[in-house]
Each structure stands twice: as structure tokens, then as C-alpha cells.
Amino acid sequence: MSLTDDALVIFTPSGKRGRVTRGTTVLAAARKLGVDLDSVCGGRGICSKCQVSPGYGTFSKHGVTVQADALTEWNEVEARYDRIRGLKEGRRLGCQACIQGDVVIDVPAESQVHRQVIRKSASDRVMVMDPATRRFYVEVREPDMHEPTGDFQRLAEALENQWQVKGLVAEPHVLHKLQTVLRKGEWKVTVAVFHDHLGPPRIVDLWPGFHDAPLFGLAIDLGSTTIAGHLASLTDGRVLASSGLMNPQIRFGEDLMSRVSYAMMNPGGDQEMTRAVRQGLNTLATALAEEAGIDPAEIVEAVFVCNPVMHHLLLGIDPVELGQAPFALATSESLGLAARDLDLNAVNPGARAYVLPLIAGHVGADAAAVALSEEPYKSEDLALIVDVGTNAEILLGNSDRVLACSSPTGPAFEGAQISSGQRAAPGAIERVEIDPETKEPRFKVIGCDLWSTDPGFAEAIAATGVTGICGSGIIEAVAEMRMAGLLDPSGLIGSAEQTGTWRCQPEGRTHAYLIHDATAEDGPRITVTQGDIRAIQLAKSALYAGARLLMDEMGVDRVERVVLAGAFGAHISPKHAMVLGMIPDCPLDKVTSAGNAAGTGARIALCSVAARRAIETEVRRIHKVETAIEPRFQEHFVAANAIPHATDPFPELGRIAPLPAVSFNTGGSGEAGGGRRRRRG
Amino acid sequence: MSLTDDALVIFTPSGKRGRVTRGTTVLAAARKLGVDLDSVCGGRGICSKCQVSPGYGTFSKHGVTVQADALTEWNEVEARYDRIRGLKEGRRLGCQACIQGDVVIDVPAESQVHRQVIRKSASDRVMVMDPATRRFYVEVREPDMHEPTGDFQRLAEALENQWQVKGLVAEPHVLHKLQTVLRKGEWKVTVAVFHDHLGPPRIVDLWPGFHDAPLFGLAIDLGSTTIAGHLASLTDGRVLASSGLMNPQIRFGEDLMSRVSYAMMNPGGDQEMTRAVRQGLNTLATALAEEAGIDPAEIVEAVFVCNPVMHHLLLGIDPVELGQAPFALATSESLGLAARDLDLNAVNPGARAYVLPLIAGHVGADAAAVALSEEPYKSEDLALIVDVGTNAEILLGNSDRVLACSSPTGPAFEGAQISSGQRAAPGAIERVEIDPETKEPRFKVIGCDLWSTDPGFAEAIAATGVTGICGSGIIEAVAEMRMAGLLDPSGLIGSAEQTGTWRCQPEGRTHAYLIHDATAEDGPRITVTQGDIRAIQLAKSALYAGARLLMDEMGVDRVERVVLAGAFGAHISPKHAMVLGMIPDCPLDKVTSAGNAAGTGARIALCSVAARRAIETEVRRIHKVETAIEPRFQEHFVAANAIPHATDPFPELGRIAPLPAVSFNTGGSGEAGGGRRRRRG
């Protein structure tokens, strides 16, 4: 121990060090040295958030020896806390232990405000907590008749003096309950303060005394078809509940453009749709709170990601301008709002909402969220990130430059507009294999682990039966048909004679391939028709053309890795996607799935103001490419219609067997190409 | 003319001068030199707000000679404007006329943003316009698919580039209509921007093209009994309509304390009252717009002044804390809100509301408004300002120091709790004289200019009859009774025998003075009873005691002038008020009426952000004295119960005749003093 009046204190893992006067509490020392040590009660020994682990002995790395009496002894507050709630072995309360000599103090992750949390997703990236809403315990001056300031002003003064929260804004919802809570808590209250980068600090809610209950937020991915939400803790980002519901706007139109049309054709139609989606959000919030077993009033924030049309309808803006060139957004930047401004009344009345920025008229906040999750702007490799929905959002880039576009794939990848198509649900065929020799299929359905050729399959699926084929199923089916030589490169299905299998049966002027026939048991007859092939060809051509357009713009003819995002992306087989030509060729092991990257991005933004700032900056830097007016998009689209030939431009891929160079006598089909394509506007 | 490349330009009346490059427009020169020259269109020759009057010839005061060609010639824009709308003789459009040589340019008042407007009130003070909401004409960049920023972002950029409006906040109500308006105006729009000292600039509303319609605001004095409102132009402060309605909260209690009780006794009672007053405000706003002949959507601001209880109920805050010591306000500082936060939906959906700061738990924003109107903090004389209502707000001070208190006068001064009392309305006695010799009364009633003794009086008042006696009437009656020797200094009414008039008639154990008897025509019998005298004594004692308390605190025993504010103050006779002892003695010619000073203060705040800042600063400096806990208040109150004696401490007043030193045999009355006094809490 040094003989001087101050002591050396070294905090790990930050490595921050400095000298403090002996007698300083560990918490005060941490604050002085800018060490991230949490505290809600401000050092009053109530909250236990400031737990630290002092180290003793010699730390040669730090050049210091810590004596056993480097900290004051365990005091009464710590003893009481340990008795009532339990203090982990070796832990001290930072606000109670005072520094008496040189010391090394470890701040465990759970005692850091800006803690790093390992996400559960496949990638091992960490999420740094930097929540906009934090709780502060304060002691407020009592009112004095001779100095008649308002209760709010004295609370604001306490937050400024005790927590350096400056410029607090008084809002009606707080003023309503302020006086009751202050008196109930005998002038000691816990205040949840929301403070992001967009505005002044605001009180979200307050409670009498020390209030330790955690705060929660919603991360909502508002899709055209589905509204998916996560309920996460704002303390550590943990997801307590995830749920989804059908977007109630479905009744106004299946896809975005039909909703824009609905708004165009029906006066007040946009407002009808706004009401519908907002009702849906309240339903979802209630369901999530119930699933998590929390009071909905503990939800104090909501973050929204969505495509531009959903964005406008959420905000009550008529989306009509998004239906026609130049696809002008009403507003493109991020928005901070009161949740009640969005009629989100199922949550805390003071809850705040944050909407991520939009990238362009067709590239939404959902794409921004994918970017936030996948961070192409930090990638060393040139990454192609594809989020497939009714529209595909495509990002291409690396740390030098990121490009974005949207491509109108239509709903075929989601099983819609497919003769036996259905949404991904139990009973739907999701995997397909066709034996190249026998041309016989086998398949798996959702909800059952067996292949259709396995013993016991019929019994295992008795509950649902085989009901149809979903998006990933139809992609595998088409790719397998091509690999088995049932399709020619133009996508034409051969006859039984041409293909050598009875399963290729005539249907009108073309043929269909029979996958499953349950008509004997009054079940469905599931085929892949020529029309299905065309629908998939149109969708994959649009996706591929979008990716190619970005590659042209970037001046490259290959990408180094591909990330498939979205629920669909998680289920799709990279091999089949590549056989089909959905995505540019790339080593198969460089094709990864990011899961629901838009939802992950929403969660990241929910947990971190720094992340909100970051994506706002990055979105401004992303270069947008508008597919709708780009002649090369049409060229790529037409060129991409075929299903790739055996002469693979990247033979090193290896794992994909060369495709057969079959050729059927088509009898002339005018169906291929872009002629039938539904264009926007 | 100078031979150099620049020219001297001198603006009057500001006297600002400087050199500008020849060819500079007058508007650009004014901006460069910081001269207040209005413009809505930004120099596009559309708005004509920048009209100036150039002077020619020799200006020895400025040491400059202005040649006839100092400005460029009248151009086509000016000619067209003159043809269509007319340009006053000698006027030029500042954005069209370019400076070619040394010139003196006068900016007429109507071309100044911060113009000074003479108010119509008796005092000649000027009101300086500094409105929070201003209109700006902007040309917005059209959307570009290749640079997909939102319409809002391009509008914000235009406001920043063309008008230096920075940090504009996007609000839903603007986003809803933004796209339609921008397209209708072909990317030229007029935007009303609200920007005060409390927050960032916000768009209130916007219109296609150049929109010249004026903007209006409401100045609302929200009283316990009456809600009074002015509708004023935000361009020049002119009042277009004034109206009032009964506060619909009356049904929950006549006075403030009974409303606080209602809130205490009835769960949700405060919310009932909040709804009631907000409905009343919408009714008033609609009525004012109708009276002024304007569209209610042209009302873009509302300023509120009110006592603390009304303040809390307006904001939806339970006023229960104001009913008991220490009378803690939920919030004391000024508030900037959206009008819709107060459910004020009859006005523009983007309208803003400003609520003046409160001085203390019993001294409200109405008192702050009186201070803003009467400016005691700028007074050289020591001024006593009294705003009489159910509570009297009292300000005492000068430029050194201002004190404030509130005194619970009760409703007697408003004619309530008086046996023949009524509100000031046609038929009410408002003036009374009693002949000191004959003891016979004469009176005037509201709605008739004749005295009751004048010929034709009976016919003139036939429509209403004499219905009762209002506040100013009862004060004059009591003072006149004292001057005629019908009352002794303790306030006791003498008998017919003691006073020598049959009009003093027995009533129970005391006497009453008959003023008017219409019972023969089934009309009322109007008397002043001993109970009435006591009620007036209690009220005036409270008022006087409050004033004395402030004088004690200030360390003075006289004031240099008295200002009577409020509707009541406008009708009261200073002489009678002083005889009664309502106000401290003071030369009669130093007693003035300020009319509805609270309403005037609200109007000043409505027209000027600088005034809002000023009153916020002053309110913080005002020293509050709480009467409810001050023992000296009780002492003064008891001492003030008597009606002053002949030995006038200020004989120079002269005009008040010495009061008779009558003394009646009281038979012992315990009524005088403060015993019966209703105390708060």
C-alpha cells in the first residue's frame, strides 16, 4: 500500500486506471475514471446494480499488489443485502466498499450499463446495450410554500443534480400522476427516462420508492403479410417472447401494390388500413406481454421496421405516391414519436416509438434493419444480402461501398400463385428430392421429420395430411426437376415420353409433374405445372436481375458471399437456390442464412441508441439503385429466365452436379420472358 | 453618388446603415444589415410584404444626398403588383428595387416583422410583434428516384436554405398532408412554422403555392366562473373577436375550493372537470372564429392564463394538492404543447398551445399575465396591482423588486353571497349614491344611463326592471352608507331612530337599508342587510390584508399608485373602494383601472415570443408571499374589518370627505372579526 493520500485503482476489463483519494467509494471512483459501472439508486445501497469483484494479490500485468485491506470491510448495507437477496461470492457493492489502497476491480458484465450480450443467433456477434430508456432513483426536495416551485421542477432538478439528466421535458401524461407518486414514495421515486439522439430527455413513467422491475421494449417487423414482434428486456436485450400475426390489412389487398390501389380507389381507404394495422399492433403487444408474463405497462419502447408502404400506412400517410414514379417518400429519415401517436395504447402510456429510416421508395426500414443486423458496411468480403419477401430487398457491398435495391419478386416464393401452393404451415411440402435415375420424388412436410418414402410416414402425417407445397418446397421441386432432366434450360416440362417417367402428365397444351396423389383418400393431387415453373422463373429472374444490377453498378461479376435473410431465407436450400439461378454463383459454403435479419436489426436498434445513430448514418451513405427505371434490369431479367446450363462459369463450386443438357421440342412457347410480368405503377 | 463600386444605404427608422454592392436589392441589403424588413415569399415578388419608401434629396441628418436614380427603375413585377393590388404612392417592393447609389430607405411599420402596434387600451404602451408562428414561402426540390430523400427532408432543406429554419421536426399531422400539398402547389408551398423558445421549429400547416391568408391565435383567460377569449391576428395583434362563456365546470362547484373538493370526493371527478372545460374551450374557439368570420383552421396558436386550480384542471392534473398546505403545484413553469394535447380540436390540427408560468400555489398564470400587462418590474413608482375575483391576486413592486400574493376574497365582490346580489348584467344596480342629508338613495342600473331619480327612468328600464345589485353596486352602497352616517365604523347599520331615515328597517336582530322596493309591481325589494355588510367587510378585509402583508414585506406603509385590474376593477369606483378600505390609501388620481389585464397579458404573450421569455424570467424573480400561513395576514385581516374613520392618515387626498364619527349602540355583535372566515384547506 502506498503511503500517499491517494490510491491507484485499476478497473477491468476496461483497463481504465487512475488515482483516487482514499475513502472514495468504488462507484465514485468508477464514475471519476469514466468506467461503465451501473447504478439505479445513485449509490444509496438499494439497487445492487453496482456489484464489483475486487482482486487481491499481485497483478504483474498491472504492476500492482493488492492488499487484503485495500477495500473497507464488508458493511452493514452489504450484509443486509446479502441476507435478503444474496450477494455472489467475492462480490462487493461498489457504492459501499471504499478504496483504502491500490486495488484491481473487475466490473462483471451484468454490472455494466453498456454491457455486451452474446446473441443467440448463429453468428457470434455481440450486442452492446445502450438503451434509450433507463431507470433512475432520485430523492426529490419537498415542496416549500415559501419557494413555490412545481413538483415537476424539483424532480427535474433532482434528475439533473443526481444523474446529470438535463433539459427534461414536461409531458401531460407524467404531470397527471406525478404528485401522487411523489407523495406515495415520500419524495423518493424511480423514474424511467427516455433519452435518445433525436430529442430532449422525457419521463416515460415513474414509481414510488425504489422500483426494480425491468423495462421492456418491442421490436416489430411490420410486413405486408405478417407482423412479427419480439418482446425484449431493455436491461440485457434478452427476448422473452416472440409472436406474429397476420397483417389485418390483408383484407384490403394481398400485396403492397393492391393496398396502394385500394388507397387510390377508395377515399379514406388509407385511413382504414392505418386503423387496421394499428389495431393489429395492439393485439400483438398484448399477446407478447401475455406470453412473457409481464404487465403491458412495462413495455416502454417500440421499434418498427417495415417496407415503405407499410411505413406510410403505419404513420397514417397515404401511400399513393409510392405506387407511381418517382416513388417519392413522404419522409425518409428515422422518426421518434410517442407510441400513442401511433395509437399503440396497449403499452405504457408514456412509451416511445422509433421507426428506422427508409433507404428509398422501394427499399424500406426493413432493409435498413437487415443492414444493421448484417453490417455489409463493415464487411471485408463483397457480400450480397438478399431478403426475400413479396419484394426482395437486396444489398451488395463491403466496407467501401454499399448498394441497395428492391426487386418485385411477387408472391411465388411464398407459395402464392402456385397451383398447389400454400403458406409454410404443417402439412406443406418443404423439401423435395427427385431421383435422377428413376425420376421418382420423395419429400418432407412441415411438422414431420420423415421423408415421404420412410416407413411410418403416412401415420406420422395422419393429423394434417399433405396439404400443398410451400415456397421452399416449390423451389426445391423446380431445381430437382431441372437436375433430374425433367425440365429443359428454358424451363419447359418434358412429356412422359421425353422424360421417361409417367409422372410427367399432359395438362392442357403443356405438362405437369405429379409429386403426390392422395385423391384416392379424398386428398389433394399435388403437381408442379408449367404455370408454376413460369411463376418461379419470373420470381427468380427478378431476384437475380436485381442482384446483377447491383453487381453491374459495383463493377463486379461475382460476389464473395451471399446472405439469405428473412424467414424464407432460413428455410431455403442454398444449393437449390443456386441451381435455380435465384442468386449469383458463389461457393456454396459462402452462402449463409441470417434468419430474420430485419427482426434482429429491429432488436439491435431497440437495445441501442448508438445503433440507431449508426444505421441512420449508414443509410445516408447507401447508394440506391431504382430497378423500375433501369433498362439493364429488364435485360438481366429476360436473360435470367433460363435455368442455368451445364457449363458452369464457376467449376470450383464442384458440389453442384452439372445439369443435363436436355432439350424438349417445345412446340413454341411464348410464355418465357418478361411479357407477362406485372410491373409496378 | 459615390464613384466606388458600393453604395451607402441608410434604413429608417432603425438608423441602421452600411455599404452594399451596387445592384443589391433593398431586401438583400436589409438582411445584410440586420434590418427588420418582412418577406414571406423570400424575394420572389409575390408577397409584397417588403414594401419600402425610398427618400430622395438631401438628408443633412444622415449626411447624404440621394439622387433620383439611387434605385433601379420601377420594374415589371412592381407594375403588375400595382395594377392588380395597388402599391401606395412612393412605395417600392424591396425585393425588386436594386440599389444603384447612396440611399435612405424608410421601412414602414407594416413592413416590419417585429412591428410595434399601439394597443387600444387607455395606456399608450406599444405592443411589439414577435409571433412564434410565421409563414414562409418556399420552393422545394422535386423528388428524384436516384436520390430518394423524402418530401419532408427536401421541404426541411428548402426552409433551411431559403429561410435559415434549422432542425425542423417531422410531426404526423404534417406528414399526412405534405405530399398532396407539395404536388398541388407544384413544389411551391407556403409553410406556417411555429418556433418559440421552448422547442425546435415545427410545421403547423402548409398550403399550395403562395398563401397570403393571415394567421390567428386565441388569448384565453380561463377563470373559475368565466372563460374569456380574444381572437387576434398574429400579423399585427389586432383583436377580431372577443367573447366569453360560463365555465362549464360551474356545475361541479361555484368556486375553486368546491371544485377541489369535488375532485377529492369523487373518483375521476378531476377528469370530468377537465373534459368539461376542454369542451367549453372548443365551444369558445368556434364562437370566436364565427364572430370574426374566419375559418377555425386559421387559428394556429392559443395562449392560456388561469389560476393554479384551473391550470391543473386544464392540463388534466388532479388539483387536490392545491387544496391543502403546502399547496404544491404539479408544475410551475410555462408549458408548450400541441393544442390537441388539450383536446382543443376546433382549431388547426397543428395548432400549438402556450400556458404562462404560475407564480405560486395560489398565484397563477393569470397573475403572471397581469404582471406581463402591467409590468410592475419596470415601474419607477411603487405600484400595487390588484386583480379582484373570487381570489384576489395582488402584486406590489417596482423595478427593484416585485412581491405577489393571493388573498381569498370570496365571491361577495362579484355579487354572490349578497342578499340582493347578482352578477353584473342588465337590470343590476351598479352605481349608488346616498344623500348625506336626506339619506335618500339614487342608483343606476346596467343597461341604462339615467339615475333612478331622473325623469323617464322607470320607462327606460321597463324591459329589465331593477333585478338586483352587482359587485360594484354593493361596494358603492356600503361606502355611501358609511359616508351618509348609516353605518358606524364597525359596520353596524343604525336603526331608523339612530340614522334618522325610515329606510333603515329592522331585520331580525339587526337592520337593513332599503334601496329600492318594487314589491307593489311584483318586483324585488332590494336592501343592504347587515349580513351583506359583513360579507363585504370580510372580502375587503382579505383584500386589504393581502396588500398590507406585501407592504410589510416590502417595508413600506404606503404605495405610490394602485392599479385595479380585472373586469370588476374596470367598473369599481376608486373613491368608494378607498372609503371602504379595500385598497390602501393613495392619491385618488393615482388609482387607475387596467381593464382585463390578465386578458391583455395573454394577448401580449400570444403576439410575442420575447414577451413569453420576459415573463418567464420575471416570474422567477417575483417573491411570493403565502397568506395562508402568515400570522400577520390574520392580524391585518382582523384590523381591516372596520370601515376607516374620519382621521384620514393622508389628508392631502382631499377629495374624500371626512367620514362621520357615528357610533350606534350595538347591543354587542360578535360577528365582526375573522371568526366566521372560511379558510382554505
PDB file of all heavy atoms in Angstrom, chain B residues 376-395:
ATOM      1  N   PRO B 376     -45.042  45.718 -13.414  1.00  0.00           N
ATOM      2  CA  PRO B 376     -44.576  46.393 -12.197  1.00  0.00           C
ATOM      3  C   PRO B 376     -43.048  46.386 -12.119  1.00  0.00           C
ATOM      4  O   PRO B 376     -42.453  47.309 -11.573  1.00  0.00           O
ATOM      5  CB  PRO B 376     -45.201  45.564 -11.071  1.00  0.00           C
ATOM      6  CG  PRO B 376     -45.509  44.231 -11.682  1.00  0.00           C
ATOM      7  CD  PRO B 376     -45.873  44.540 -13.101  1.00  0.00           C
ATOM      8  N   TYR B 377     -42.457  45.339 -12.717  1.00  0.00           N
ATOM      9  CA  TYR B 377     -40.995  45.214 -12.662  1.00  0.00           C
ATOM     10  C   TYR B 377     -40.274  46.257 -13.515  1.00  0.00           C
ATOM     11  O   TYR B 377     -39.054  46.296 -13.533  1.00  0.00           O
ATOM     12  CB  TYR B 377     -40.570  43.799 -13.077  1.00  0.00           C
ATOM     13  CG  TYR B 377     -41.337  43.250 -14.268  1.00  0.00           C
ATOM     14  CD1 TYR B 377     -41.021  43.629 -15.561  1.00  0.00           C
ATOM     15  CD2 TYR B 377     -42.407  42.369 -14.082  1.00  0.00           C
ATOM     16  CE1 TYR B 377     -41.727  43.153 -16.647  1.00  0.00           C
ATOM     17  CE2 TYR B 377     -43.135  41.885 -15.154  1.00  0.00           C
ATOM     18  CZ  TYR B 377     -42.786  42.272 -16.443  1.00  0.00           C
ATOM     19  OH  TYR B 377     -43.490  41.802 -17.508  1.00  0.00           O
ATOM     20  N   LYS B 378     -41.061  47.058 -14.242  1.00  0.00           N
ATOM     21  CA  LYS B 378     -40.443  48.171 -14.968  1.00  0.00           C
ATOM     22  C   LYS B 378     -40.868  49.508 -14.392  1.00  0.00           C
ATOM     23  O   LYS B 378     -40.492  50.557 -14.918  1.00  0.00           O
ATOM     24  CB  LYS B 378     -40.859  48.111 -16.448  1.00  0.00           C
ATOM     25  CG  LYS B 378     -40.219  46.989 -17.240  1.00  0.00           C
ATOM     26  CD  LYS B 378     -40.560  47.123 -18.722  1.00  0.00           C
ATOM     27  CE  LYS B 378     -39.962  45.971 -19.517  1.00  0.00           C
ATOM     28  NZ  LYS B 378     -40.472  45.987 -20.905  1.00  0.00           N
ATOM     29  N   SER B 379     -41.678  49.471 -13.315  1.00  0.00           N
ATOM     30  CA  SER B 379     -42.263  50.695 -12.781  1.00  0.00           C
ATOM     31  C   SER B 379     -41.260  51.446 -11.914  1.00  0.00           C
ATOM     32  O   SER B 379     -40.549  50.860 -11.112  1.00  0.00           O
ATOM     33  CB  SER B 379     -43.503  50.334 -11.949  1.00  0.00           C
ATOM     34  OG  SER B 379     -44.014  51.471 -11.299  1.00  0.00           O
ATOM     35  N   GLU B 380     -41.222  52.782 -12.051  1.00  0.00           N
ATOM     36  CA  GLU B 380     -40.391  53.577 -11.137  1.00  0.00           C
ATOM     37  C   GLU B 380     -41.121  53.785  -9.828  1.00  0.00           C
ATOM     38  O   GLU B 380     -40.515  53.757  -8.766  1.00  0.00           O
ATOM     39  CB  GLU B 380     -40.027  54.908 -11.792  1.00  0.00           C
ATOM     40  CG  GLU B 380     -39.045  54.701 -12.938  1.00  0.00           C
ATOM     41  CD  GLU B 380     -38.574  56.029 -13.519  1.00  0.00           C
ATOM     42  OE1 GLU B 380     -38.728  57.065 -12.857  1.00  0.00           O
ATOM     43  OE2 GLU B 380     -38.046  55.980 -14.646  1.00  0.00           O
ATOM     44  N   ASP B 381     -42.437  54.020  -9.919  1.00  0.00           N
ATOM     45  CA  ASP B 381     -43.267  54.142  -8.711  1.00  0.00           C
ATOM     46  C   ASP B 381     -43.470  52.772  -8.090  1.00  0.00           C
ATOM     47  O   ASP B 381     -43.445  51.760  -8.791  1.00  0.00           O
ATOM     48  CB  ASP B 381     -44.675  54.648  -9.060  1.00  0.00           C
ATOM     49  CG  ASP B 381     -44.639  55.990  -9.736  1.00  0.00           C
ATOM     50  OD1 ASP B 381     -43.661  56.729  -9.518  1.00  0.00           O
ATOM     51  OD2 ASP B 381     -45.580  56.278 -10.503  1.00  0.00           O
ATOM     52  N   LEU B 382     -43.748  52.794  -6.807  1.00  0.00           N
ATOM     53  CA  LEU B 382     -44.142  51.554  -6.151  1.00  0.00           C
ATOM     54  C   LEU B 382     -45.622  51.331  -6.458  1.00  0.00           C
ATOM     55  O   LEU B 382     -46.482  52.097  -6.006  1.00  0.00           O
ATOM     56  CB  LEU B 382     -43.919  51.652  -4.645  1.00  0.00           C
ATOM     57  CG  LEU B 382     -44.211  50.350  -3.885  1.00  0.00           C
ATOM     58  CD1 LEU B 382     -43.238  49.257  -4.310  1.00  0.00           C
ATOM     59  CD2 LEU B 382     -44.139  50.582  -2.384  1.00  0.00           C
ATOM     60  N   ALA B 383     -45.902  50.314  -7.248  1.00  0.00           N
ATOM     61  CA  ALA B 383     -47.268  50.098  -7.718  1.00  0.00           C
ATOM     62  C   ALA B 383     -47.890  48.899  -7.023  1.00  0.00           C
ATOM     63  O   ALA B 383     -47.249  47.877  -6.830  1.00  0.00           O
ATOM     64  CB  ALA B 383     -47.252  49.879  -9.222  1.00  0.00           C
ATOM     65  N   LEU B 384     -49.155  49.090  -6.658  1.00  0.00           N
ATOM     66  CA  LEU B 384     -49.937  47.981  -6.115  1.00  0.00           C
ATOM     67  C   LEU B 384     -50.937  47.599  -7.197  1.00  0.00           C
ATOM     68  O   LEU B 384     -51.725  48.440  -7.641  1.00  0.00           O
ATOM     69  CB  LEU B 384     -50.670  48.406  -4.850  1.00  0.00           C
ATOM     70  CG  LEU B 384     -51.577  47.333  -4.226  1.00  0.00           C
ATOM     71  CD1 LEU B 384     -50.725  46.266  -3.530  1.00  0.00           C
ATOM     72  CD2 LEU B 384     -52.560  47.961  -3.242  1.00  0.00           C
ATOM     73  N   ILE B 385     -50.874  46.354  -7.618  1.00  0.00           N
ATOM     74  CA  ILE B 385     -51.772  45.908  -8.687  1.00  0.00           C
ATOM     75  C   ILE B 385     -52.685  44.837  -8.113  1.00  0.00           C
ATOM     76  O   ILE B 385     -52.217  43.838  -7.560  1.00  0.00           O
ATOM     77  CB  ILE B 385     -50.970  45.355  -9.877  1.00  0.00           C
ATOM     78  CG1 ILE B 385     -50.004  46.430 -10.380  1.00  0.00           C
ATOM     79  CG2 ILE B 385     -51.905  44.892 -10.988  1.00  0.00           C
ATOM     80  CD1 ILE B 385     -48.950  45.911 -11.317  1.00  0.00           C
ATOM     81  N   VAL B 386     -53.961  45.079  -8.226  1.00  0.00           N
ATOM     82  CA  VAL B 386     -54.931  44.198  -7.591  1.00  0.00           C
ATOM     83  C   VAL B 386     -55.873  43.659  -8.668  1.00  0.00           C
ATOM     84  O   VAL B 386     -56.506  44.432  -9.381  1.00  0.00           O
ATOM     85  CB  VAL B 386     -55.742  44.981  -6.543  1.00  0.00           C
ATOM     86  CG1 VAL B 386     -56.807  44.096  -5.935  1.00  0.00           C
ATOM     87  CG2 VAL B 386     -54.821  45.537  -5.474  1.00  0.00           C
ATOM     88  N   ASP B 387     -55.913  42.344  -8.783  1.00  0.00           N
ATOM     89  CA  ASP B 387     -56.852  41.732  -9.733  1.00  0.00           C
ATOM     90  C   ASP B 387     -57.894  40.998  -8.893  1.00  0.00           C
ATOM     91  O   ASP B 387     -57.608  39.970  -8.295  1.00  0.00           O
ATOM     92  CB  ASP B 387     -56.108  40.757 -10.652  1.00  0.00           C
ATOM     93  CG  ASP B 387     -56.986  40.283 -11.809  1.00  0.00           C
ATOM     94  OD1 ASP B 387     -58.146  40.729 -11.904  1.00  0.00           O
ATOM     95  OD2 ASP B 387     -56.506  39.473 -12.610  1.00  0.00           O
ATOM     96  N   VAL B 388     -59.083  41.566  -8.856  1.00  0.00           N
ATOM     97  CA  VAL B 388     -60.091  41.038  -7.935  1.00  0.00           C
ATOM     98  C   VAL B 388     -60.987  40.023  -8.627  1.00  0.00           C
ATOM     99  O   VAL B 388     -61.583  40.299  -9.657  1.00  0.00           O
ATOM    100  CB  VAL B 388     -60.970  42.178  -7.382  1.00  0.00           C
ATOM    101  CG1 VAL B 388     -61.966  41.611  -6.382  1.00  0.00           C
ATOM    102  CG2 VAL B 388     -60.121  43.239  -6.732  1.00  0.00           C
ATOM    103  N   GLY B 389     -61.040  38.858  -8.057  1.00  0.00           N
ATOM    104  CA  GLY B 389     -62.005  37.855  -8.483  1.00  0.00           C
ATOM    105  C   GLY B 389     -62.422  37.127  -7.228  1.00  0.00           C
ATOM    106  O   GLY B 389     -62.410  37.725  -6.147  1.00  0.00           O
ATOM    107  N   THR B 390     -62.746  35.876  -7.329  1.00  0.00           N
ATOM    108  CA  THR B 390     -63.091  35.106  -6.135  1.00  0.00           C
ATOM    109  C   THR B 390     -61.856  35.027  -5.238  1.00  0.00           C
ATOM    110  O   THR B 390     -61.935  35.010  -4.022  1.00  0.00           O
ATOM    111  CB  THR B 390     -63.548  33.701  -6.533  1.00  0.00           C
ATOM    112  OG1 THR B 390     -64.510  33.844  -7.568  1.00  0.00           O
ATOM    113  CG2 THR B 390     -64.173  32.986  -5.362  1.00  0.00           C
ATOM    114  N   ASN B 391     -60.708  34.962  -5.896  1.00  0.00           N
ATOM    115  CA  ASN B 391     -59.459  35.211  -5.207  1.00  0.00           C
ATOM    116  C   ASN B 391     -58.899  36.499  -5.781  1.00  0.00           C
ATOM    117  O   ASN B 391     -59.048  36.761  -6.976  1.00  0.00           O
ATOM    118  CB  ASN B 391     -58.445  34.102  -5.482  1.00  0.00           C
ATOM    119  CG  ASN B 391     -58.680  32.916  -4.582  1.00  0.00           C
ATOM    120  OD1 ASN B 391     -58.163  32.842  -3.498  1.00  0.00           O
ATOM    121  ND2 ASN B 391     -59.506  31.984  -5.047  1.00  0.00           N
ATOM    122  N   ALA B 392     -58.273  37.279  -4.943  1.00  0.00           N
ATOM    123  CA  ALA B 392     -57.616  38.473  -5.455  1.00  0.00           C
ATOM    124  C   ALA B 392     -56.137  38.166  -5.610  1.00  0.00           C
ATOM    125  O   ALA B 392     -55.520  37.600  -4.704  1.00  0.00           O
ATOM    126  CB  ALA B 392     -57.807  39.634  -4.490  1.00  0.00           C
ATOM    127  N   GLU B 393     -55.610  38.488  -6.781  1.00  0.00           N
ATOM    128  CA  GLU B 393     -54.164  38.381  -6.951  1.00  0.00           C
ATOM    129  C   GLU B 393     -53.592  39.775  -6.759  1.00  0.00           C
ATOM    130  O   GLU B 393     -54.094  40.744  -7.341  1.00  0.00           O
ATOM    131  CB  GLU B 393     -53.798  37.863  -8.342  1.00  0.00           C
ATOM    132  CG  GLU B 393     -53.784  36.360  -8.438  1.00  0.00           C
ATOM    133  CD  GLU B 393     -55.157  35.779  -8.644  1.00  0.00           C
ATOM    134  OE1 GLU B 393     -55.902  36.339  -9.460  1.00  0.00           O
ATOM    135  OE2 GLU B 393     -55.490  34.786  -7.972  1.00  0.00           O
ATOM    136  N   ILE B 394     -52.563  39.840  -5.955  1.00  0.00           N
ATOM    137  CA  ILE B 394     -52.015  41.143  -5.602  1.00  0.00           C
ATOM    138  C   ILE B 394     -50.523  41.161  -5.913  1.00  0.00           C
ATOM    139  O   ILE B 394     -49.793  40.245  -5.532  1.00  0.00           O
ATOM    140  CB  ILE B 394     -52.239  41.431  -4.094  1.00  0.00           C
ATOM    141  CG1 ILE B 394     -53.727  41.223  -3.745  1.00  0.00           C
ATOM    142  CG2 ILE B 394     -51.798  42.847  -3.743  1.00  0.00           C
ATOM    143  CD1 ILE B 394     -54.012  41.263  -2.254  1.00  0.00           C
ATOM    144  N   LEU B 395     -50.108  42.188  -6.624  1.00  0.00           N
ATOM    145  CA  LEU B 395     -48.690  42.378  -6.937  1.00  0.00           C
ATOM    146  C   LEU B 395     -48.281  43.729  -6.374  1.00  0.00           C
ATOM    147  O   LEU B 395     -49.029  44.694  -6.484  1.00  0.00           O
ATOM    148  CB  LEU B 395     -48.474  42.401  -8.461  1.00  0.00           C
ATOM    149  CG  LEU B 395     -48.814  41.130  -9.233  1.00  0.00           C
ATOM    150  CD1 LEU B 395     -48.935  41.441 -10.722  1.00  0.00           C
ATOM    151  CD2 LEU B 395     -47.736  40.071  -9.003  1.00  0.00           C
TER     152      LEU B 395
END
